[in-house]
Amino acid sequence: MPTEATRSGEFPALNAEARRIWDANAAWWDDRIGDGNDFQTVLIEPAMGRLLGDVAGQTVLDVGCGAGRFARQLAERGATVTAGDFSTAFLARARERTPAALPVTYQPLDATDPAALRALGTGGFDAVTAVMMLMDLATLAPLFQAIPALLKPGGRFVFCVSHPCFHTVNTHRFVEDILVDGRCTARAGVTVTGYLTPTAVRGEGIVGQPETQYYFDRPLSLLFDAGFRAGLTVTGLEEPAFPTVENRWRLHWPTEIPPVLAVRMGVK
Ligand SMILES: C[S@@+](CC[C@H](N)C(=O)[O-])C[C@H]1O[C@@H](n2cnc3c(N)ncnc32)[C@H](O)[C@@H]1O
């Protein structure tokens, strides 16, 4: 029998535990990927950059900033950045990694807390970004509902997530050796064993991380509906995929299947 949470995809009761886990994993996680990996440099950052466009001279709020890798990139491209995360351990790493000359202000921010989002003011940002964090966010409604007030007129909300169809706890990658023109060739694929019912299930973001973390997997309809209910409309969308099949972190990603979904939304 589906629970209220599994119907709505909102899991507020798990937010405190999710925060504890992120604090426990932050240093290990940042040691592994803080300097960038091919998910970030080939898929995520180029797609986010294309959807955001020019940020020089603009104000940007980066929600769920982690150790601040994307916030620093925005500042290097000329933006003045406010970056928030609910993990104090990640914020400490972010401050350590950020040169004093870069205009990035880090602050504690629980993106499931409507009051904390309201405290960021009204109409202060040309853009809000959320990089690979909405599938880690226990509730979507407070953040999406806050976006219209946070943005200046004409502003945009740009986010990317693990692809809800192809990269969740209910998708399973495989690779098989097949003969193509008599040559051994790796063929990679994904099987999908669940999609429609939102789930909160623990899994590994990085193989071997100290604690498994919560993934809040929701179908596309619920993800976009969170924006539509807030009066947002989709103005851009990308599904970046790897150009070649290689063993990436023990995983083969087919060139035809995008691990990441990147979206730009604006106020109607
Ligand atoms: C996969 S990490 C991505 C971090 C960063 N955006 C990046 O791309 O490197 C997900 C981030 O979401 C943050 N997060 C999860 N739930 C949050 C919440 N309720 N409020 C604020 N941050 C949250 C975690 O602490 C973590 O830093």
Side-chain angles (χ1 to χ4, degrees):
M1 186 67 130
T3 63
E4 195 182 317
T6 56
R7 275 190 296 269
S8 69
E10 301 286 84
F11 300 90
L14 296 177
N15 191 51
E17 176 64 356
R19 182 204 302 251
R20 186 197 66 73
I21 294 167
W22 278 110
D23 270 332
N25 284 338
W28 187 94
W29 182 285
D30 184 51
D31 286 344
R32 288 297 183 291
I33 68 162
D35 294 328
N37 65 10
D38 54 5
F39 268 76
Q40 291 156 308
T41 58
V42 177
L43 304 180
I44 294 165
E45 291 161 1
M48 288 294 297
R50 284 188 295 270
L51 289 171
L52 258 178
D54 189 9
V55 293
Q58 300 190 356
T59 48
V60 182
L61 170 67
D62 186 39
V63 179
C65 63
R69 183 178 159 85
F70 194 65
R72 285 188 293 282
Q73 291 179 9
L74 292 167
E76 281 157 5
R77 288 162 50 201
T80 299
V81 183
T82 301
D85 202 288
F86 74 168
S87 161
T88 50
F90 258 133
L91 288 174
R93 274 295 171 116
R95 291 188 179 106
E96 270 170 40
R97 278 183 170 273
T98 303
L102 273 188
V104 184
T105 306
Y106 294 103
Q107 67 175 69
L109 174 67
D110 181 348
T112 69
D113 178 355
L117 292 161
R118 272 197 303 277
L120 291 162
T122 303
F125 299 100
D126 295 287
V128 177
T129 55
V131 181
M132 299 304 276
M133 66 85 65
L134 296 183
M135 69 284 175
D136 300 322
L137 193 57
T139 63
L140 292 184
L143 177 59
F144 277 94
Q145 290 290 330
I147 296 292
L150 289 167
L151 288 176
K152 295 180 185 175
R156 64 268 194 219
F157 177 37
V158 181
F159 63 85
C160 63
V161 291
S162 294
H163 201 297
C165 304
F166 307 118
H167 193 191
T168 72
V169 293
N170 289 309
T171 61
H172 320 283
R173 286 167 296 282
F174 67 86
V175 62
E176 56 192 5
D177 230 357
I178 59 164
L179 290 181
V180 175
D181 296 332
R183 298 288 183 187
C184 288
T185 306
R187 179 167 69 183
V190 174
T191 56
V192 179
T193 53
Y195 171 69
L196 283 176
T197 303
T199 53
V201 176
R202 289 179 69 161
E204 282 186 318
I206 304 175
V207 174
Q209 69 189 59
E211 290 203 36
T212 57
Q213 70 199 61
Y214 273 107
Y215 281 106
F216 303 102
D217 288 329
R218 306 162 176 107
L220 290 173
S221 48
L222 276 188
L223 175 65
F224 284 108
D225 199 46
F228 300 151
R229 282 171 188 265
L232 302 176
T233 186
V234 175
T235 59
L237 187 148
E238 292 201 12
E239 296 179 295
F242 286 115
T244 54
V245 177
E246 285 163 37
N247 192 341
R248 295 181 160 86
W249 293 11
R250 302 180 14 189
L251 312 175
H252 288 73
W253 274 101
T255 56
E256 276 299 307
I257 297 186
V260 168
L261 171 72
V263 180
R264 183 180 61 225
M265 295 186 112
V267 181
K268 266 187 219 160

